[in-house]
Amino acid sequence: MPSIYSSSGDGWAQGAQVSTFAAGRNHSGGASDNNNVRDTYTVIVESLSGKGGGETHFTRRAFFFFDTSGISIAPSEATLKIKGFSRNNSDVIAVKSTAADPVAGISGLTYSAELATWSTSGYNDIELNSTALSDMASLDVLKVCVMDYDYDYLDIAPSIGTLVGVGGYWQNSGGTGNDPYIDYTEGVAAVA
């Protein structure tokens, strides 16, 4: 089973702290980081009481890049594997990303089903669906966004005091022992 490791530049982006969940979710980005070994919060949704009785909200999403230029036939199966760290109280989902455009109107762009458990010490397996398998064959770089499922993906505003997220390792962890990667089974060409 071949593996593809995440390329340099993987990391997270988050919207600025704003007064509504919708604004935070659709924000083009208030902060980003692509050079850490690991983060307690790889994915996060937070809703807080603001100064003067208002609210502040922000979301963080993780982005991973995989060189799929050598794949010309869609794999028969593939699994995104992310080693967990520190935090595990968010359900997550993988979606297609252009990494420069907002992740909005996600319907039809999902790369996985919801993952409801997260290990903080081992690898977390996110089974990729047929959309992702097809994109592995048609795109030179597969760009994957991993985001919170219950609030961010479903677009449901969390109640004040909500703080959910998962932690994980990045490509910068040194070597490949903790790196994010995709295991896949090579596809077979159709017989004419």
Side-chain angles (χ1 to χ4, degrees), residues 1 115 123 142 163 172 176 183:
M1 184 175 276
L115 180 66
Y123 272 93
L142 185 75
L163 173 59
N172 295 47
T176 58
D183 261 349

Side-chain angles (χ1 to χ4, degrees), residues 19-38:
S19 60
T20 68
F21 175 69
R25 185 175 180 270
N26 295 322
H27 196 277
S28 61
S32 62
D33 194 341
N34 68 351
N35 63 0
N36 285 352
V37 169
R38 62 188 184 192

Side-chain angles (χ1 to χ4, degrees), residues 14-65:
Q14 71 185 33
Q17 291 188 354
V18 291
S19 60
T20 68
F21 175 69
R25 185 175 180 270
N26 295 322
H27 196 277
S28 61
S32 62
D33 194 341
N34 68 351
N35 63 0
N36 285 352
V37 169
R38 62 188 184 192
D39 280 299
T40 300
Y41 288 109
T42 299
V43 172
I44 187 174
V45 171
E46 184 172 24
S47 175
L48 302 169
S49 295
K51 293 179 181 177
E55 301 177 12
T56 58
H57 302 265
F58 75 91
T59 59
R60 177 182 292 175
R61 298 170 181 152
F63 295 88
F64 303 91
F65 308 96

Side-chain angles (χ1 to χ4, degrees), residues 86-147:
S86 181
R87 177 72 63 165
N88 68 346
N89 66 336
S90 172
D91 296 355
V92 298
I93 190 169
V95 299
K96 182 175 184 171
S97 174
T98 61
D101 296 332
V103 182
I106 298 167
S107 177
L109 301 178
T110 58
Y111 273 173
S112 77
E114 172 189 10
L115 180 66
T117 60
W118 188 265
S119 168
T120 58
S121 59
Y123 272 93
N124 297 278
D125 292 350
I126 301 173
E127 300 297 326
L128 299 179
N129 63 23
S130 60
T131 302
L133 299 178
S134 176
D135 283 353
M136 287 177 72
S138 64
L139 301 174
D140 286 340
V141 177
L142 185 75
K143 298 177 181 179
V144 181
C145 170
V146 175
M147 62 193 302

